[in-house]
Amino acid sequence: MVDIATRVWNHKWKIDPIVRSLIDTDFYKLLMCQSVFRNRPETQVQFSLINRTTSVPLAKLIDEGELREQLDHVRSLSLTRGESTWLRGNTFYGKRQMFRSDFMEWFENMRLPDYHLERIGDQYELTFEGSWPEVMLWEIPALSVLMELRSRAVLDRMEKFELQVLYARAMTKLWEKVESLRGIDNLRIADFGTRRRHSFLWQDWAVQAMCEGLGEKFVGTSNCLIAKNRDLEAIGTNAHELPMVYAALAETDEELAQAPYQVLADWHEEHDGNLRIILPDTYGTKGFLERAPKWLEGWTGIRIDSGDPAAGAETAINWWTSRGEDPTKKLVIFSDGLDVDKISELQKQFEGRVLTSFGWGTLLTNDFRGLVPEDRLAPFSLVCKAVSANGRPTVKLSDNPNKAMGPSDQIERYKRVFSVGAQSKQDVLV
């Protein structure tokens, strides 16, 4: 097992590449990329870094030259033969050849496009522009680079024994969480922590801890490289990016109202089984389900990623019941800001009412809260989102207005089109 503290200490002499592979990304990104490659390959998009936690001054912490070095390294990456073989030949969700040959040929020859980086005050403005299938693949590596450089900036001030003690405490903290999860009956949990991890090595260690500590209760990881290296299931379906871009491309209010369902219609053509998971909260869960076409009733389940998770699950259960479906045969995936207590609470509340699963993210792979002075390693909310498509702004409403994004006039338009009423604000930790 890697001695993480020693590796971190050695960073002071030689900077390891933070992103080691094009498949050091989340599985859902590759699934979505194939769908975009097939259905909307000519769409031009812009992605932008957004630091929701403005109290973390990234431009003061992270050297611009170091940041450029890491981003340039990501641009140099291409699929290795072994990675291509794994994607082409592996079985994902019980399906062989999940990735089509035309997509794989494109991916094998693809290099990530250029970036624009500028310092604005204490923050960095980082944007990516170009064709949607290429630009979308920047999101996860860009976040990984910024998150780990911030961690390294704090760790660089620490001496060797301080680092040893820090990681010993962090390992103990995580292992105590794993031990708590052991006692939860019928638990199904996966690692969703790539986007805001402390570091690649720490995520890999956390996954190994989950494997050993939870056995069959740990069902896999969203990180493709770790899944490949550790012979685990790669977990993931789709994300808000798809409806946000489809909606931005809509010409009329009527087309806008149908955009989230067109996304899933295209997805329906690509995938079946456990990949048919609805993510309904981009423009409000309640309205999405009320207007949902009949063919969505038979889908496998729903992922809840904003708002009150228990309320979201109750909304889903009521919807399935009203449509004549049996909720006990449906899957609810909780994935927003989870930690051990909330996981335990939700599992007890919905045991026997639905099938439950948990995507545990930042507080699995980046919970260093309370371990250094001034909490300088506490996780923070950093995102990289599509902000325009073919020159039109994207909008996200969410079930939590604190996660909404887009121009104010467009947010009001979307609220009108999607009949979004009053919403309850929830703190956004990660």
Side-chain angles (χ1 to χ4, degrees), residues 245-417:
V245 173
Y246 273 54
L249 298 175
E251 297 286 350
T252 64
D253 285 358
E254 291 72 22
E255 289 181 8
L256 175 58
Q258 289 302 310
Y261 307 114
Q262 184 58 52
V263 167
L264 298 182
D266 288 346
W267 192 263
H268 192 82
E269 295 298 315
E270 294 268 354
H271 302 299
D272 53 19
N274 281 346
L275 285 170
R276 288 189 177 165
I277 300 295
I278 302 167
L279 180 63
D281 69 319
T282 311
Y283 303 119
T285 294
K286 185 174 181 292
F288 176 95
L289 294 177
E290 287 174 351
R291 294 185 295 272
K294 187 171 180 58
W295 51 268
L296 274 177
E297 298 166 5
W299 275 36
T300 303
I302 279 178
R303 180 161 73 93
I304 297 174
D305 196 54
S306 66
D308 181 333
E314 295 289 358
T315 298
I317 289 170
N318 292 337
W319 176 67
W320 282 316
T321 302
S322 72
R323 297 291 185 101
E325 296 286 323
D326 182 357
T328 65
K329 294 182 170 62
K330 297 294 187 179
L331 177 64
V332 173
I333 302 172
F334 298 99
S335 62
D336 182 31
L338 297 175
D339 208 2
V340 171
D341 290 345
K342 179 57 70 174
I343 292 168
S344 177
E345 176 188 322
L346 290 168
Q347 177 67 14
K348 289 176 182 176
Q349 184 171 351
F350 293 98
E351 172 78 22
R353 301 180 63 200
V354 292
L355 304 173
T356 58
S357 186
F358 298 87
W360 193 13
T362 307
L363 296 181
L364 166 64
T365 61
N366 198 3
D367 190 3
F368 284 67
R369 293 174 298 177
L371 298 183
V372 297
E374 301 175 14
D375 227 4
R376 288 178 288 116
L377 280 178
F380 65 105
S381 186
L382 185 71
V383 296
C384 183
K385 295 288 188 184
V387 295
S388 72
N390 287 355
R392 298 175 178 174
T394 61
V395 173
K396 179 184 175 186
L397 299 181
S398 177
D399 285 332
N400 178 3
N402 283 339
K403 285 188 172 184
M405 58 169 287
S408 57
D409 61 328
Q410 288 300 306
I411 287 177
E412 293 307 313
R413 176 189 172 220
Y414 276 58
K415 284 183 175 180
R416 173 178 55 78
V417 169

Side-chain angles (χ1 to χ4, degrees), residues 49-56 58 123 195-196 240 305 336 380-385 396 398 400 402-405 428-430:
L49 184 80
I50 303 168
N51 183 6
R52 293 172 175 155
T53 312
T54 55
S55 59
V56 177
L58 291 176
Q123 301 296 337
R195 296 161 56 85
R196 300 189 193 98
H240 302 103
D305 196 54
D336 182 31
F380 65 105
S381 186
L382 185 71
V383 296
C384 183
K385 295 288 188 184
K396 179 184 175 186
S398 177
N400 178 3
N402 283 339
K403 285 188 172 184
M405 58 169 287
V428 180
L429 171 63
V430 289

Side-chain angles (χ1 to χ4, degrees), residues 56-84:
V56 177
L58 291 176
K60 290 179 68 175
L61 290 169
I62 296 170
D63 177 74
E64 183 176 334
E66 203 171 322
L67 175 54
R68 289 185 183 276
E69 180 183 3
Q70 295 290 346
L71 295 173
D72 290 341
H73 173 76
V74 175
R75 291 196 67 214
S76 74
L77 295 172
S78 60
L79 282 189
T80 67
R81 182 177 300 178
E83 292 164 351
S84 179

Side-chain angles (χ1 to χ4, degrees), residues 106-152:
W106 170 83
F107 193 23
E108 288 161 351
N109 291 289
M110 194 276 304
R111 302 292 186 278
L112 290 180
D114 206 352
Y115 59 88
H116 172 78
L117 177 65
E118 184 178 354
R119 178 171 178 163
I120 308 293
D122 290 341
Q123 301 296 337
Y124 283 117
E125 180 181 274
L126 179 60
T127 57
F128 312 93
E129 295 185 20
S131 68
W132 191 8
E134 293 179 349
V135 173
M136 68 187 296
L137 293 176
W138 256 121
E139 177 184 357
I140 305 300
L143 291 172
S144 298
V145 164
L146 266 297
M147 295 300 295
E148 186 161 346
L149 283 179
R150 183 267 195 157
S151 296
R152 291 183 181 188

